Amino acid sequence: MIVGALGVILMPNTINSVMSLLLSMLALAGIYVLMGAHVVALFQIIIYIGAVLVLFIYVIMLLNLKGQRLKLPREASTYIISGFSLGLLVVVVWLFWQSLWGTTFTGDAANLKVSATVHQLAVDLFSQHILIFELTSILLLVAAIGAIILSKK
Amino acid sequence: MGFYHFLSLGIVLFTIGVVGFVIRNNTMVLLMSVELMLNSVNLIFVAFSRYLYGTEGQIYVLIIMAIAAAEVAVGLAIVISIYRLFGTLDISKIKLLKG
């Protein structure tokens, strides 16, 4: 999975990048199944692989993109800023880790009892979280109209 | 595989996404790096939902997936119009300001 993710950012050709992303997302769906989140794994395959990646490949074919060399930035300021932000990231992750250490998140993920069944998930989604569900549907409608208008002319 | 393995995997994936967003200058690869970051956040959400025995994490993951699909649709429309306007997708060659 990490190999696939590295392939996304290091492949010079865009279509190879998309194929690496496909590998990474399939591995992620496998991890979801391993964690007992079958609904999420199913949606991962349907939405990401079935819609998003197909859209990427479709746009690449539409624009007839050719491969280009991997150019790395050359300015010194870029590397200084990158090093600083990487250090900040390490500090944030370390603080997060310290605050989580010693909590009771133990046990094998595959052996825990499954808490969120499909039924429970649906009841929760359509009772407590109905507002964000409706807002998401409005957002999807707006995004579809926006995409059509942007690519029309 | 325990909780910390999933957390480490999510953090590593997020870092790879950020690095890809910074070092590449192809607009399509930039969008794919954003997808990678969203995927890592989803992984961490599901891991917390698993170990806290709740359903909220998985519900938020479904919402994030819908928003990611909307973002990719709009982003690829912008990519198509950029390609029509400039004839390239290299963001270091796209200049509108005359400076």
Side-chain angles (χ1 to χ4, degrees):
Chain A
M1 180 172 174
I2 291 176
V3 170
L6 281 176
V8 173
I9 68 166
L10 291 182
M11 288 280 186
N13 205 344
T14 320
I15 193 85
N16 291 340
S17 232
V18 176
M19 288 303 154
S20 309
L21 194 59
L22 173 70
L23 173 70
S24 176
M25 282 178 176
L26 274 177
L28 194 59
I31 286 179
Y32 287 153
V33 171
L34 206 69
M35 288 160 100
H38 295 100
V39 186
V40 178
L42 216 61
F43 274 102
Q44 171 88 12
I45 290 178
I46 291 173
I47 295 179
Y48 272 117
I49 298 173
V52 171
L53 288 185
V54 169
L55 211 59
F56 270 118
I57 293 175
Y58 191 76
V59 169
I60 289 172
M61 290 197 303
L62 196 68
L63 299 183
N64 194 13
L65 292 180
K66 287 183 284 293
Q68 52 189 7
R69 281 184 300 110
L70 182 65
K71 297 195 294 275
L72 292 178
R74 301 209 178 279
E75 295 86 9
S77 63
T78 313
Y79 287 104
I80 293 172
I81 294 171
S82 310
F84 185 71
S85 45
L86 207 64
L88 198 65
L89 182 75
V90 167
V91 169
V92 168
V93 166
W94 183 73
L95 285 177
F96 191 55
W97 206 267
Q98 285 293 105
S99 68
L100 276 175
W101 196 254
T103 46
T104 54
F105 295 134
T106 51
D108 219 0
N111 294 330
L112 289 177
K113 108 182 133 55
V114 174
S115 60
T117 58
V118 183
H119 173 254
Q120 202 180 350
L121 206 65
V123 167
D124 235 20
L125 178 61
F126 290 111
S127 59
Q128 285 181 36
H129 302 280
I130 188 72
L131 181 64
I132 54 171
F133 181 76
E134 297 291 343
L135 284 179
T136 311
S137 64
I138 293 174
L139 179 84
L140 272 178
L141 182 65
V142 172
I145 295 173
I148 291 171
I149 290 176
L150 270 176
S151 57
K152 198 176 64 174
K153 29 183 189 226
Chain B
M1 295 220 292
F3 176 72
Y4 292 102
H5 298 109
F6 295 121
L7 203 60
S8 326
L9 187 58
I11 290 171
V12 168
L13 272 186
F14 193 87
T15 312
I16 290 175
V18 171
V19 169
F21 194 84
V22 171
I23 69 169
R24 292 302 299 262
N25 46 19
N26 189 343
T27 319
M28 299 280 294
V29 181
L30 255 57
L31 276 177
M32 279 183 243
S33 302
V34 173
E35 290 301 310
L36 218 54
M37 286 191 257
L38 284 169
N39 265 321
S40 73
V41 171
N42 280 351
L43 175 65
I44 293 179
F45 259 124
V46 174
F48 269 109
S49 148
R50 183 82 180 120
Y51 282 89
L52 292 174
Y53 298 103
T55 56
E56 277 84 5
Q58 300 194 14
I59 288 172
Y60 286 137
V61 165
L62 297 185
I63 304 291
I64 289 175
M65 278 182 185
I67 290 176
E71 171 250 329
V72 161
V74 175
L76 288 177
I78 293 175
V79 163
I80 288 178
S81 52
I82 282 178
Y83 192 77
R84 277 191 194 141
L85 200 58
F86 296 100
T88 180
L89 284 183
D90 196 342
I91 55 168
S92 60
K93 287 183 186 144
I94 294 173
K95 289 176 192 155
L96 277 181
L97 290 177
K98 297 184 173 56

